[in-house]
Amino acid sequence: MKKIVVLGSINVDIILNIARLPLPGETMAMSDRSTAGGGKGANQAIAAVRAGADTSFIAKIGQDRSADFMLDTFKYDGLNIDHVTKDDKAGTGQAYILLDEKGQNSILIYGGANQTITTKNIQNASETIAEADCLITEFETPLEATIEAFKIAKENNVLTILNPAPAKTNIPEELLQLSDIIVPNETEAEAITGIKVTDEASMVAAANKLHTMGVKNVIITVGANGSFYSLGEKSGFVNAFKVNTVDTTAAGDTFIGYLASALDADLSNIEEAMKFASKASSITVQTQGAQNSIPYVKNVNI
């Protein structure tokens, strides 16, 4: 069984259903409101464990009802939460998701306890990281902690996957060089490289720019169109599965969790792993919400 560690965020998602995004200064009614577990780190960890991987999570929560809600979810799925700690001042992270009738979303984030993760928290989890096959992280927790975790991973030959989301324009060179695989979507790829991703030629150009910045391997996801990979001399495109989209929340996180669960250490099965991840994502987008929409591996058939 693949051992995966995820360093990342925990948010309670407040989903606000609206016909369309409001204009500046506009007041409009919602058609519905719901609550679900979320946070990019938590989503990726849930995806990995539901994909069948032995998954450990490094994260922080507050001392509030939201924390209890999230811990119950993690325990139900069998996620290792030995390194999910509580902060005595900051509250559990929150995300406010504006979801329109076409299934597209805009998200506002309150970082809360997610922003209190320190290098000490990472060092306390160093043994867990060292024993893993793969370490995943994103940008909803402090960069200092991310770099420390990736250093420990590389010292122990652990595969590192960086999901550069939310998008950042100035990623430390050290972090890029510690990343075995970077997995941005088209918006994030443009933010990092300055190259607008619109077709395969621009995907190649963006991937080449990322290679020059120090990243060995690149996967660029482009939503309903699919995903592009560049492993230096080898590159290709994997088409998405066509489905009726209800909500794209957690689709990218599902892709990454499932990808890590299937990917061989030498990346020799990159296309097969991406196809598997794409299938899981296509199931996620057919249900509203984040973690509740992430499928179990028994339901992912390709």
Side-chain angles (χ1 to χ4, degrees), residues 55-57 71 74-75 79-85:
T55 308
S56 299
F57 192 22
L71 290 175
F74 299 153
K75 291 173 184 176
L79 185 61
N80 183 324
I81 55 173
D82 290 348
H83 299 291
V84 176
T85 55

Side-chain angles (χ1 to χ4, degrees), residues 3-202:
K3 285 189 175 183
I4 294 174
V5 175
V6 179
L7 162 63
S9 57
I10 296 173
N11 292 328
V12 172
D13 292 347
I14 311 299
I15 304 163
L16 310 176
N17 296 84
I18 52 178
R20 55 172 174 77
L21 294 180
L23 300 172
E26 180 183 15
T27 299
M28 61 187 296
M30 297 181 292
S31 59
D32 200 2
R33 177 188 183 277
S34 58
T35 301
K40 295 193 69 63
N43 295 344
Q44 290 166 11
I46 289 292
V49 77
R50 290 183 183 174
D54 179 357
T55 308
S56 299
F57 192 22
I58 304 171
K60 267 195 172 180
I61 50 178
Q63 299 192 52
D64 48 32
R65 290 183 179 179
S66 293
D68 296 335
F69 170 70
M70 296 302 298
L71 290 175
D72 287 344
T73 300
F74 299 153
K75 291 173 184 176
Y76 178 82
D77 275 297
L79 185 61
N80 183 324
I81 55 173
D82 290 348
H83 299 291
V84 176
T85 55
K86 291 189 175 184
D87 188 87
D88 58 2
K89 294 181 181 178
T92 302
Q94 304 278 335
Y96 299 87
I97 301 171
L98 304 179
L99 178 63
D100 72 18
E101 291 179 344
K102 296 180 180 178
Q104 295 300 312
N105 61 60
S106 296
I107 304 175
L108 305 173
I109 300 291
Y110 161 67
N114 296 316
Q115 296 304 312
T116 69
I117 297 176
T118 65
T119 55
K120 180 64 174 176
N121 295 131
I122 302 304
Q123 290 160 5
N124 290 341
S126 60
E127 186 175 335
T128 300
I129 294 171
E131 294 175 349
D133 296 302
C134 177
L135 171 66
I136 305 168
T137 194
E138 17 59 40
F139 284 156
E140 289 184 342
T141 51
L143 278 173
E144 295 82 1
T146 296
I147 292 172
E148 180 68 14
F150 271 33
K151 283 181 178 178
I152 294 169
K154 295 319 301 170
E155 287 168 1
N156 292 278
N157 298 313
V158 176
L159 184 74
T160 54
I161 298 179
L162 176 63
N163 173 215
K168 284 186 180 291
T169 55
N170 296 306
I171 301 174
E173 182 179 341
E174 180 183 18
L175 178 57
L176 291 173
Q177 293 176 349
L178 289 167
S179 301
D180 291 315
I181 309 173
I182 191 169
V183 190
N185 63 20
E186 63 267 53
T187 302
E188 294 146 7
E190 181 180 356
I192 300 167
T193 66
I195 298 170
K196 188 173 182 61
V197 175
T198 57
D199 54 20
E200 192 159 347
S202 56

